[in-house]
Amino acid sequence: MRVAIIGAGVIGMTSALAVKNSFPLFEVHLFANEFSPDTTGDGSAGLWSPYLLGNTPPERILKWGGATLRWLEKLWKEGLAREAGISLIPVYRCTSDPKGFSDSSWTKLVYGAHRLTAKQLKRLNEENKSNYKDCWMFSTYTSEPVLLLPWLREQFLKAGGKVRRSKIHRFDELIDDGYDLIINCSGLGARELVSDNTVTPIRGQVTRVSASWAMHAYLEDDDDGNYIIPNFNSTVIGGTHQENDFDCTPREEDFKFIHDGCCRIVPALQKCTVIKQWVGLRPGRPEVRLEPEVYKSSTGKEITVLHNYGHGGSGVTLCWGCALDVVDIIRNLKGLKSHL
Protein backbone atom coordinates (compact mmCIF):
# COMPACT_ATOMS: atom_id res chain seq x y z
CA MET A 1 0.00 0.00 0.00
CA ARG A 2 1.56 3.28 -1.15
CA VAL A 3 0.36 6.51 0.44
CA ALA A 4 1.28 10.03 -0.69
CA ILE A 5 0.84 12.98 1.63
CA ILE A 6 1.01 16.51 0.21
CA GLY A 7 2.22 19.27 2.53
CA ALA A 8 4.90 19.57 5.22
CA GLY A 9 3.18 22.04 7.54
CA VAL A 10 1.93 20.96 10.94
CA ILE A 11 -1.20 19.39 9.39
CA GLY A 12 0.79 17.39 6.83
CA MET A 13 3.52 16.30 9.26
CA THR A 14 1.10 15.11 11.97
CA SER A 15 -0.99 13.29 9.37
CA ALA A 16 2.12 11.60 8.02
CA LEU A 17 3.29 10.47 11.46
CA ALA A 18 -0.15 9.28 12.57
CA VAL A 19 -0.67 7.27 9.38
CA LYS A 20 2.79 5.68 9.47
CA ASN A 21 2.47 4.81 13.18
CA SER A 22 -1.00 3.31 12.68
CA PHE A 23 -0.14 1.40 9.49
CA PRO A 24 3.56 0.52 9.79
CA LEU A 25 3.47 -1.70 6.70
CA PHE A 26 2.26 1.12 4.49
CA GLU A 27 4.81 2.86 2.28
CA VAL A 28 4.19 6.48 3.25
CA HIS A 29 5.84 9.34 1.35
CA LEU A 30 5.43 13.04 2.15
CA PHE A 31 5.76 15.55 -0.71
CA ALA A 32 6.39 19.29 -0.30
CA ASN A 33 8.35 22.02 -1.96
CA GLU A 34 8.98 23.73 1.40
CA PHE A 35 9.99 22.20 4.72
CA SER A 36 10.73 23.69 8.11
CA PRO A 37 12.00 26.35 8.74
CA ASP A 38 10.37 27.71 5.56
CA THR A 39 6.72 26.78 6.11
CA THR A 40 3.92 29.17 7.04
CA GLY A 41 3.77 27.75 10.54
CA ASP A 42 7.43 28.31 11.38
CA GLY A 43 6.93 31.97 12.23
CA SER A 44 3.92 31.40 14.46
CA ALA A 45 3.95 31.12 18.24
CA GLY A 46 2.11 27.78 18.18
CA LEU A 47 -0.44 28.59 20.89
CA TRP A 48 -3.22 26.06 21.48
CA SER A 49 -6.32 28.23 21.22
CA PRO A 50 -9.03 28.08 18.51
CA TYR A 51 -8.68 31.02 16.13
CA LEU A 52 -9.94 32.01 12.65
CA LEU A 53 -11.94 28.85 11.97
CA GLY A 54 -14.89 30.38 10.12
CA ASN A 55 -18.05 28.34 10.50
CA THR A 56 -16.37 25.08 11.51
CA PRO A 57 -18.87 23.40 13.87
CA PRO A 58 -17.93 23.80 17.56
CA GLU A 59 -18.32 20.05 18.14
CA ARG A 60 -15.61 19.33 15.54
CA ILE A 61 -13.34 21.97 17.06
CA LEU A 62 -13.84 20.36 20.49
CA LYS A 63 -13.11 16.89 19.13
CA TRP A 64 -9.99 17.78 17.16
CA GLY A 65 -8.75 20.39 19.62
CA GLY A 66 -9.30 18.13 22.62
CA ALA A 67 -7.36 15.28 21.07
CA THR A 68 -4.50 17.65 20.21
CA LEU A 69 -4.40 19.11 23.71
CA ARG A 70 -4.23 15.62 25.25
CA TRP A 71 -1.42 14.73 22.83
CA LEU A 72 0.57 17.82 23.81
CA GLU A 73 -0.02 17.00 27.46
CA LYS A 74 1.28 13.47 26.89
CA LEU A 75 4.45 14.72 25.19
CA TRP A 76 4.95 17.30 27.94
CA LYS A 77 4.61 14.68 30.69
CA GLU A 78 6.97 12.32 28.86
CA GLY A 79 9.77 14.87 29.04
CA LEU A 80 9.65 15.74 25.34
CA ALA A 81 8.69 19.37 25.88
CA ARG A 82 11.99 20.88 24.78
CA GLU A 83 12.36 18.70 21.69
CA ALA A 84 8.79 19.36 20.54
CA GLY A 85 8.80 23.03 21.58
CA ILE A 86 6.07 22.63 24.19
CA SER A 87 5.45 25.05 27.06
CA LEU A 88 2.55 25.40 29.48
CA ILE A 89 1.64 29.05 30.00
CA PRO A 90 -1.15 31.14 31.58
CA VAL A 91 -3.30 33.13 29.17
CA TYR A 92 -5.69 36.08 29.30
CA ARG A 93 -8.12 35.97 26.37
CA CYS A 94 -10.30 39.07 26.29
CA THR A 95 -12.85 40.81 24.09
CA SER A 96 -14.23 44.33 23.86
CA ASP A 97 -17.49 43.06 22.34
CA PRO A 98 -20.39 43.96 24.67
CA LYS A 99 -21.96 40.58 23.80
CA GLY A 100 -18.87 38.74 25.02
CA PHE A 101 -17.52 35.63 23.30
CA SER A 102 -19.72 34.05 20.63
CA ASP A 103 -18.43 30.61 21.63
CA SER A 104 -16.37 29.64 24.63
CA SER A 105 -17.12 25.91 24.69
CA TRP A 106 -13.40 25.21 24.13
CA THR A 107 -12.64 26.55 27.62
CA LYS A 108 -13.75 23.19 29.05
CA LEU A 109 -10.62 21.66 27.49
CA VAL A 110 -7.94 23.94 28.93
CA TYR A 111 -6.65 24.07 32.50
CA GLY A 112 -8.21 26.22 35.21
CA ALA A 113 -10.43 28.23 32.89
CA HIS A 114 -12.44 30.91 34.66
CA ARG A 115 -14.11 34.18 33.74
CA LEU A 116 -12.72 37.27 35.37
CA THR A 117 -15.02 38.90 37.89
CA ALA A 118 -16.17 42.48 37.35
CA LYS A 119 -13.56 43.64 39.85
CA GLN A 120 -10.77 41.67 38.16
CA LEU A 121 -11.86 42.90 34.72
CA LYS A 122 -11.83 46.50 35.90
CA ARG A 123 -8.31 46.10 37.24
CA LEU A 124 -7.12 44.48 34.02
CA ASN A 125 -8.64 47.28 31.96
CA GLU A 126 -6.83 49.84 34.08
CA GLU A 127 -3.51 48.01 33.73
CA ASN A 128 -3.88 47.45 29.98
CA LYS A 129 -5.58 50.77 29.19
CA SER A 130 -8.34 48.75 27.56
CA ASN A 131 -12.12 48.45 27.57
CA TYR A 132 -12.65 44.68 27.79
CA LYS A 133 -16.19 43.48 28.37
CA ASP A 134 -15.33 39.85 28.96
CA CYS A 135 -12.14 37.89 29.68
CA TRP A 136 -11.16 34.30 30.35
CA MET A 137 -8.01 33.25 32.16
CA PHE A 138 -6.65 29.72 31.70
CA SER A 139 -3.49 27.74 31.10
CA THR A 140 -2.71 26.07 27.80
CA TYR A 141 0.23 24.87 25.72
CA THR A 142 2.36 26.46 23.09
CA SER A 143 4.09 24.10 20.69
CA GLU A 144 6.46 26.18 18.59
CA PRO A 145 6.36 24.92 14.99
CA VAL A 146 10.01 25.86 14.43
CA LEU A 147 10.80 23.07 16.94
CA LEU A 148 7.72 20.87 16.55
CA LEU A 149 8.03 20.41 12.78
CA PRO A 150 11.63 19.11 12.78
CA TRP A 151 10.73 16.81 15.68
CA LEU A 152 7.71 15.43 13.79
CA ARG A 153 9.82 14.90 10.68
CA GLU A 154 12.45 13.03 12.71
CA GLN A 155 9.79 10.77 14.24
CA PHE A 156 8.27 10.13 10.83
CA LEU A 157 11.63 9.17 9.34
CA LYS A 158 12.42 6.92 12.31
CA ALA A 159 9.12 5.13 11.72
CA GLY A 160 10.16 4.41 8.14
CA GLY A 161 8.47 7.27 6.31
CA LYS A 162 10.12 9.07 3.40
CA VAL A 163 10.12 12.75 2.42
CA ARG A 164 10.34 14.11 -1.10
CA ARG A 165 11.05 17.75 -1.98
CA SER A 166 8.69 18.22 -4.89
CA LYS A 167 5.77 20.50 -5.72
CA ILE A 168 2.73 18.49 -6.73
CA HIS A 169 0.65 20.28 -9.35
CA ARG A 170 -1.86 17.50 -10.12
CA PHE A 171 -2.96 14.34 -8.35
CA ASP A 172 -2.35 12.47 -11.61
CA GLU A 173 1.39 12.83 -11.01
CA LEU A 174 1.09 10.63 -7.93
CA ILE A 175 -1.44 8.25 -9.45
CA ASP A 176 0.85 7.66 -12.44
CA ASP A 177 3.63 6.93 -9.95
CA GLY A 178 1.62 4.09 -8.41
CA TYR A 179 0.22 5.60 -5.20
CA ASP A 180 -2.96 3.98 -3.86
CA LEU A 181 -4.10 6.77 -1.55
CA ILE A 182 -3.47 10.53 -1.47
CA ILE A 183 -3.81 12.72 1.62
CA ASN A 184 -4.12 16.37 0.67
CA CYS A 185 -2.72 18.66 3.39
CA SER A 186 -1.76 21.43 0.98
CA GLY A 187 -3.19 24.32 3.04
CA LEU A 188 -3.38 27.49 0.98
CA GLY A 189 -2.05 25.46 -1.96
CA ALA A 190 -5.47 23.81 -2.24
CA ARG A 191 -6.59 26.91 -4.15
CA GLU A 192 -4.59 25.66 -7.11
CA LEU A 193 -4.30 21.94 -6.45
CA VAL A 194 -8.03 21.27 -6.17
CA SER A 195 -9.32 24.64 -7.47
CA ASP A 196 -10.88 25.42 -4.10
CA ASN A 197 -11.44 29.18 -4.26
CA THR A 198 -13.04 29.16 -0.82
CA VAL A 199 -9.51 28.84 0.56
CA THR A 200 -8.18 32.36 1.03
CA PRO A 201 -5.03 33.79 2.59
CA ILE A 202 -5.33 35.43 5.99
CA ARG A 203 -2.19 37.52 6.25
CA GLY A 204 -0.52 37.52 9.63
CA GLN A 205 2.34 39.86 10.51
CA VAL A 206 4.17 39.41 13.82
CA THR A 207 7.27 40.68 15.55
CA ARG A 208 9.62 38.62 17.69
CA VAL A 209 11.18 40.47 20.60
CA SER A 210 13.60 39.62 23.36
CA ALA A 211 11.50 39.45 26.55
CA SER A 212 12.68 36.50 28.61
CA TRP A 213 10.73 37.85 31.59
CA ALA A 214 7.36 37.45 29.81
CA MET A 215 5.36 34.68 31.48
CA HIS A 216 1.74 35.37 30.46
CA ALA A 217 0.03 35.38 27.07
CA TYR A 218 -2.51 38.09 26.24
CA LEU A 219 -5.02 37.67 23.43
CA GLU A 220 -7.47 40.35 22.34
CA ASP A 221 -10.41 38.82 20.45
CA ASP A 222 -11.19 42.04 18.58
CA ASP A 223 -10.97 42.92 14.90
CA ASP A 224 -8.13 45.28 15.74
CA GLY A 225 -6.81 43.33 18.72
CA ASN A 226 -3.22 42.50 19.61
CA TYR A 227 -1.58 39.48 21.22
CA ILE A 228 1.53 38.65 23.21
CA ILE A 229 2.72 35.02 23.35
CA PRO A 230 5.94 33.95 25.10
CA ASN A 231 8.08 31.30 23.38
CA PHE A 232 11.30 29.59 24.50
CA ASN A 233 13.83 32.04 23.07
CA SER A 234 11.66 35.05 22.23
CA THR A 235 8.21 36.52 22.63
CA VAL A 236 5.82 36.85 19.70
CA ILE A 237 3.79 40.04 19.53
CA GLY A 238 1.11 40.54 16.96
CA GLY A 239 -0.74 40.69 14.95
CA THR A 240 -2.86 41.05 11.89
CA HIS A 241 -5.50 38.92 10.18
CA GLN A 242 -5.92 40.55 6.78
CA GLU A 243 -8.10 38.45 4.52
CA ASN A 244 -7.34 37.96 0.81
CA ASP A 245 -3.97 39.62 1.23
CA PHE A 246 -1.06 37.77 -0.42
CA ASP A 247 1.65 40.26 0.57
CA CYS A 248 4.42 38.48 2.50
CA THR A 249 6.53 41.60 3.02
CA PRO A 250 6.47 43.17 6.52
CA ARG A 251 4.82 46.59 6.53
CA GLU A 252 5.90 49.49 8.69
CA GLU A 253 2.31 50.50 9.49
CA ASP A 254 1.57 46.98 10.72
CA PHE A 255 4.72 46.96 12.82
CA LYS A 256 3.62 50.23 14.44
CA PHE A 257 0.13 48.84 15.13
CA ILE A 258 1.63 45.72 16.70
CA HIS A 259 4.29 47.51 18.72
CA ASP A 260 2.03 50.29 20.01
CA GLY A 261 -0.83 47.95 20.87
CA CYS A 262 1.31 45.41 22.68
CA CYS A 263 3.22 48.11 24.58
CA ARG A 264 -0.14 49.43 25.74
CA ILE A 265 -0.92 46.01 27.20
CA VAL A 266 2.56 45.45 28.66
CA PRO A 267 4.52 48.73 28.80
CA ALA A 268 7.80 46.93 29.58
CA LEU A 269 7.85 45.75 25.95
CA GLN A 270 8.90 49.26 24.90
CA LYS A 271 12.47 48.52 25.97
CA CYS A 272 12.69 45.11 24.31
CA THR A 273 15.02 44.41 21.41
CA VAL A 274 13.28 43.55 18.14
CA ILE A 275 14.67 40.27 16.84
CA LYS A 276 12.79 40.07 13.56
CA GLN A 277 9.55 40.76 11.74
CA TRP A 278 7.72 38.02 9.88
CA VAL A 279 4.67 37.53 7.68
CA GLY A 280 2.77 34.31 7.01
CA LEU A 281 -0.40 33.46 5.08
CA ARG A 282 -2.85 31.35 7.06
CA PRO A 283 -5.07 29.00 5.01
CA GLY A 284 -8.51 30.45 5.73
CA ARG A 285 -11.69 28.66 4.72
CA PRO A 286 -15.38 28.94 5.67
CA GLU A 287 -14.96 25.50 7.28
CA VAL A 288 -12.09 23.06 7.79
CA ARG A 289 -12.24 20.40 5.09
CA LEU A 290 -11.59 16.89 6.35
CA GLU A 291 -13.24 14.30 4.14
CA PRO A 292 -12.51 11.61 1.52
CA GLU A 293 -13.28 12.10 -2.16
CA VAL A 294 -13.15 9.65 -5.04
CA TYR A 295 -10.91 11.18 -7.69
CA LYS A 296 -10.83 9.97 -11.29
CA SER A 297 -7.55 10.45 -13.12
CA SER A 298 -7.15 11.45 -16.76
CA THR A 299 -6.57 7.76 -17.56
CA GLY A 300 -9.80 6.72 -15.85
CA LYS A 301 -8.28 5.28 -12.68
CA GLU A 302 -10.24 5.99 -9.50
CA ILE A 303 -8.43 6.70 -6.26
CA THR A 304 -9.39 8.07 -2.85
CA VAL A 305 -8.09 11.52 -2.02
CA LEU A 306 -8.43 12.40 1.65
CA HIS A 307 -8.60 16.18 2.12
CA ASN A 308 -7.30 17.78 5.32
CA TYR A 309 -6.89 21.54 4.90
CA GLY A 310 -8.34 24.98 5.66
CA HIS A 311 -7.36 25.25 9.34
CA GLY A 312 -7.08 29.04 9.44
CA GLY A 313 -5.12 30.17 12.50
CA SER A 314 -5.56 26.86 14.30
CA GLY A 315 -3.10 24.48 12.67
CA VAL A 316 -1.35 23.57 15.92
CA THR A 317 -4.64 23.63 17.84
CA LEU A 318 -6.32 20.98 15.67
CA CYS A 319 -3.42 19.08 14.08
CA TRP A 320 -3.28 15.81 16.00
CA GLY A 321 -7.05 15.48 16.33
CA CYS A 322 -7.40 15.88 12.56
CA ALA A 323 -4.57 13.38 12.00
CA LEU A 324 -6.42 10.81 14.13
CA ASP A 325 -9.55 11.37 12.05
CA VAL A 326 -7.47 10.77 8.92
CA VAL A 327 -6.43 7.41 10.39
CA ASP A 328 -10.05 6.52 11.25
CA ILE A 329 -11.24 7.39 7.75
CA ILE A 330 -8.53 5.19 6.22
CA ARG A 331 -9.61 2.28 8.43
CA ASN A 332 -13.16 2.61 7.10
CA LEU A 333 -12.36 2.94 3.41
CA LYS A 334 -13.91 -0.13 1.79
CA GLY A 335 -11.46 -0.31 -1.08
CA LEU A 336 -8.51 -0.40 1.32
CA LYS A 337 -9.72 -3.15 3.66
CA SER A 338 -7.45 -5.74 2.03
CA HIS A 339 -4.40 -3.59 2.85
CA LEU A 340 -5.15 -3.15 6.57
PDB file of all heavy atoms in Angstrom, residues 140-155:
ATOM      1  N   THR A 140      -2.707  26.925  28.972  1.00  0.00           N
ATOM      2  CA  THR A 140      -2.706  26.073  27.797  1.00  0.00           C
ATOM      3  C   THR A 140      -1.270  25.924  27.302  1.00  0.00           C
ATOM      4  O   THR A 140      -0.343  26.490  27.860  1.00  0.00           O
ATOM      5  CB  THR A 140      -3.615  26.651  26.690  1.00  0.00           C
ATOM      6  OG1 THR A 140      -3.732  25.698  25.628  1.00  0.00           O
ATOM      7  CG2 THR A 140      -3.042  27.938  26.124  1.00  0.00           C
ATOM      8  N   TYR A 141      -1.109  25.142  26.241  1.00  0.00           N
ATOM      9  CA  TYR A 141       0.234  24.870  25.715  1.00  0.00           C
ATOM     10  C   TYR A 141       0.555  25.749  24.511  1.00  0.00           C
ATOM     11  O   TYR A 141      -0.322  26.135  23.747  1.00  0.00           O
ATOM     12  CB  TYR A 141       0.350  23.411  25.284  1.00  0.00           C
ATOM     13  CG  TYR A 141       0.235  22.423  26.412  1.00  0.00           C
ATOM     14  CD1 TYR A 141      -0.953  21.712  26.614  1.00  0.00           C
ATOM     15  CD2 TYR A 141       1.306  22.200  27.285  1.00  0.00           C
ATOM     16  CE1 TYR A 141      -1.063  20.807  27.654  1.00  0.00           C
ATOM     17  CE2 TYR A 141       1.194  21.295  28.328  1.00  0.00           C
ATOM     18  CZ  TYR A 141       0.009  20.603  28.512  1.00  0.00           C
ATOM     19  OH  TYR A 141      -0.100  19.712  29.555  1.00  0.00           O
ATOM     20  N   THR A 142       1.823  26.053  24.377  1.00  0.00           N
ATOM     21  CA  THR A 142       2.361  26.465  23.088  1.00  0.00           C
ATOM     22  C   THR A 142       3.215  25.301  22.593  1.00  0.00           C
ATOM     23  O   THR A 142       3.840  24.592  23.391  1.00  0.00           O
ATOM     24  CB  THR A 142       3.248  27.722  23.173  1.00  0.00           C
ATOM     25  OG1 THR A 142       4.318  27.485  24.087  1.00  0.00           O
ATOM     26  CG2 THR A 142       2.444  28.927  23.610  1.00  0.00           C
ATOM     27  N   SER A 143       3.205  25.083  21.307  1.00  0.00           N
ATOM     28  CA  SER A 143       4.095  24.105  20.692  1.00  0.00           C
ATOM     29  C   SER A 143       4.676  24.779  19.461  1.00  0.00           C
ATOM     30  O   SER A 143       4.038  24.832  18.405  1.00  0.00           O
ATOM     31  CB  SER A 143       3.351  22.828  20.312  1.00  0.00           C
ATOM     32  OG  SER A 143       4.261  21.837  19.858  1.00  0.00           O
ATOM     33  N   GLU A 144       5.864  25.334  19.613  1.00  0.00           N
ATOM     34  CA  GLU A 144       6.460  26.184  18.589  1.00  0.00           C
ATOM     35  C   GLU A 144       6.781  25.372  17.332  1.00  0.00           C
ATOM     36  O   GLU A 144       7.608  24.454  17.375  1.00  0.00           O
ATOM     37  CB  GLU A 144       7.732  26.833  19.131  1.00  0.00           C
ATOM     38  CG  GLU A 144       7.491  27.654  20.388  1.00  0.00           C
ATOM     39  CD  GLU A 144       8.774  28.149  21.019  1.00  0.00           C
ATOM     40  OE1 GLU A 144       9.729  28.452  20.273  1.00  0.00           O
ATOM     41  OE2 GLU A 144       8.826  28.238  22.265  1.00  0.00           O
ATOM     42  N   PRO A 145       6.139  25.690  16.214  1.00  0.00           N
ATOM     43  CA  PRO A 145       6.361  24.916  14.991  1.00  0.00           C
ATOM     44  C   PRO A 145       7.814  24.846  14.552  1.00  0.00           C
ATOM     45  O   PRO A 145       8.228  23.846  13.948  1.00  0.00           O
ATOM     46  CB  PRO A 145       5.496  25.640  13.960  1.00  0.00           C
ATOM     47  CG  PRO A 145       4.376  26.202  14.772  1.00  0.00           C
ATOM     48  CD  PRO A 145       5.027  26.650  16.050  1.00  0.00           C
ATOM     49  N   VAL A 146       8.602  25.878  14.836  1.00  0.00           N
ATOM     50  CA  VAL A 146      10.011  25.857  14.429  1.00  0.00           C
ATOM     51  C   VAL A 146      10.761  24.732  15.131  1.00  0.00           C
ATOM     52  O   VAL A 146      11.808  24.268  14.651  1.00  0.00           O
ATOM     53  CB  VAL A 146      10.671  27.222  14.695  1.00  0.00           C
ATOM     54  CG1 VAL A 146      10.899  27.449  16.187  1.00  0.00           C
ATOM     55  CG2 VAL A 146      11.968  27.371  13.917  1.00  0.00           C
ATOM     56  N   LEU A 147      10.227  24.232  16.249  1.00  0.00           N
ATOM     57  CA  LEU A 147      10.798  23.073  16.941  1.00  0.00           C
ATOM     58  C   LEU A 147       9.944  21.826  16.712  1.00  0.00           C
ATOM     59  O   LEU A 147      10.475  20.724  16.555  1.00  0.00           O
ATOM     60  CB  LEU A 147      10.907  23.351  18.443  1.00  0.00           C
ATOM     61  CG  LEU A 147      11.863  24.475  18.850  1.00  0.00           C
ATOM     62  CD1 LEU A 147      11.723  24.779  20.334  1.00  0.00           C
ATOM     63  CD2 LEU A 147      13.295  24.091  18.534  1.00  0.00           C
ATOM     64  N   LEU A 148       8.631  22.003  16.717  1.00  0.00           N
ATOM     65  CA  LEU A 148       7.723  20.867  16.551  1.00  0.00           C
ATOM     66  C   LEU A 148       7.887  20.202  15.192  1.00  0.00           C
ATOM     67  O   LEU A 148       7.918  18.961  15.095  1.00  0.00           O
ATOM     68  CB  LEU A 148       6.279  21.326  16.739  1.00  0.00           C
ATOM     69  CG  LEU A 148       5.196  20.260  16.520  1.00  0.00           C
ATOM     70  CD1 LEU A 148       5.323  19.139  17.541  1.00  0.00           C
ATOM     71  CD2 LEU A 148       3.801  20.883  16.568  1.00  0.00           C
ATOM     72  N   LEU A 149       7.973  20.995  14.123  1.00  0.00           N
ATOM     73  CA  LEU A 149       8.033  20.415  12.779  1.00  0.00           C
ATOM     74  C   LEU A 149       9.270  19.548  12.550  1.00  0.00           C
ATOM     75  O   LEU A 149       9.151  18.426  12.029  1.00  0.00           O
ATOM     76  CB  LEU A 149       7.931  21.522  11.727  1.00  0.00           C
ATOM     77  CG  LEU A 149       6.546  22.149  11.576  1.00  0.00           C
ATOM     78  CD1 LEU A 149       6.601  23.372  10.683  1.00  0.00           C
ATOM     79  CD2 LEU A 149       5.546  21.132  11.030  1.00  0.00           C
ATOM     80  N   PRO A 150      10.476  20.002  12.927  1.00  0.00           N
ATOM     81  CA  PRO A 150      11.634  19.106  12.784  1.00  0.00           C
ATOM     82  C   PRO A 150      11.514  17.854  13.633  1.00  0.00           C
ATOM     83  O   PRO A 150      11.957  16.774  13.214  1.00  0.00           O
ATOM     84  CB  PRO A 150      12.813  19.980  13.250  1.00  0.00           C
ATOM     85  CG  PRO A 150      12.361  21.373  13.025  1.00  0.00           C
ATOM     86  CD  PRO A 150      10.892  21.360  13.330  1.00  0.00           C
ATOM     87  N   TRP A 151      10.908  17.984  14.819  1.00  0.00           N
ATOM     88  CA  TRP A 151      10.727  16.812  15.683  1.00  0.00           C
ATOM     89  C   TRP A 151       9.774  15.822  15.041  1.00  0.00           C
ATOM     90  O   TRP A 151      10.035  14.603  15.035  1.00  0.00           O
ATOM     91  CB  TRP A 151      10.196  17.250  17.050  1.00  0.00           C
ATOM     92  CG  TRP A 151      10.004  16.103  18.002  1.00  0.00           C
ATOM     93  CD1 TRP A 151      10.960  15.505  18.776  1.00  0.00           C
ATOM     94  CD2 TRP A 151       8.778  15.407  18.259  1.00  0.00           C
ATOM     95  NE1 TRP A 151      10.399  14.479  19.501  1.00  0.00           N
ATOM     96  CE2 TRP A 151       9.062  14.393  19.209  1.00  0.00           C
ATOM     97  CE3 TRP A 151       7.480  15.536  17.797  1.00  0.00           C
ATOM     98  CZ2 TRP A 151       8.085  13.526  19.693  1.00  0.00           C
ATOM     99  CZ3 TRP A 151       6.499  14.664  18.270  1.00  0.00           C
ATOM    100  CH2 TRP A 151       6.813  13.679  19.202  1.00  0.00           C
ATOM    101  N   LEU A 152       8.667  16.317  14.473  1.00  0.00           N
ATOM    102  CA  LEU A 152       7.715  15.432  13.794  1.00  0.00           C
ATOM    103  C   LEU A 152       8.367  14.745  12.598  1.00  0.00           C
ATOM    104  O   LEU A 152       8.167  13.543  12.377  1.00  0.00           O
ATOM    105  CB  LEU A 152       6.504  16.245  13.314  1.00  0.00           C
ATOM    106  CG  LEU A 152       5.518  16.705  14.389  1.00  0.00           C
ATOM    107  CD1 LEU A 152       4.545  17.727  13.796  1.00  0.00           C
ATOM    108  CD2 LEU A 152       4.746  15.516  14.961  1.00  0.00           C
ATOM    109  N   ARG A 153       9.146  15.489  11.852  1.00  0.00           N
ATOM    110  CA  ARG A 153       9.821  14.903  10.684  1.00  0.00           C
ATOM    111  C   ARG A 153      10.780  13.805  11.124  1.00  0.00           C
ATOM    112  O   ARG A 153      10.829  12.724  10.504  1.00  0.00           O
ATOM    113  CB  ARG A 153      10.577  15.998   9.923  1.00  0.00           C
ATOM    114  CG  ARG A 153      11.317  15.488   8.697  1.00  0.00           C
ATOM    115  CD  ARG A 153      11.924  16.638   7.906  1.00  0.00           C
ATOM    116  NE  ARG A 153      12.714  16.149   6.778  1.00  0.00           N
ATOM    117  CZ  ARG A 153      13.229  16.925   5.842  1.00  0.00           C
ATOM    118  NH1 ARG A 153      13.024  18.228   5.862  1.00  0.00           N
ATOM    119  NH2 ARG A 153      13.944  16.408   4.851  1.00  0.00           N
ATOM    120  N   GLU A 154      11.517  14.045  12.217  1.00  0.00           N
ATOM    121  CA  GLU A 154      12.448  13.034  12.714  1.00  0.00           C
ATOM    122  C   GLU A 154      11.709  11.767  13.134  1.00  0.00           C
ATOM    123  O   GLU A 154      12.145  10.644  12.838  1.00  0.00           O
ATOM    124  CB  GLU A 154      13.229  13.599  13.901  1.00  0.00           C
ATOM    125  CG  GLU A 154      14.228  12.620  14.494  1.00  0.00           C
ATOM    126  CD  GLU A 154      14.942  13.169  15.716  1.00  0.00           C
ATOM    127  OE1 GLU A 154      14.659  14.319  16.111  1.00  0.00           O
ATOM    128  OE2 GLU A 154      15.774  12.436  16.287  1.00  0.00           O
ATOM    129  N   GLN A 155      10.575  11.931  13.820  1.00  0.00           N
ATOM    130  CA  GLN A 155       9.788  10.770  14.244  1.00  0.00           C
ATOM    131  C   GLN A 155       9.228  10.007  13.046  1.00  0.00           C
ATOM    132  O   GLN A 155       9.183   8.776  13.036  1.00  0.00           O
ATOM    133  CB  GLN A 155       8.638  11.211  15.166  1.00  0.00           C
ATOM    134  CG  GLN A 155       9.064  11.940  16.429  1.00  0.00           C
ATOM    135  CD  GLN A 155      10.115  11.192  17.212  1.00  0.00           C
ATOM    136  OE1 GLN A 155       9.933  10.017  17.550  1.00  0.00           O
ATOM    137  NE2 GLN A 155      11.226  11.853  17.485  1.00  0.00           N
TER     138      GLN A 155
END
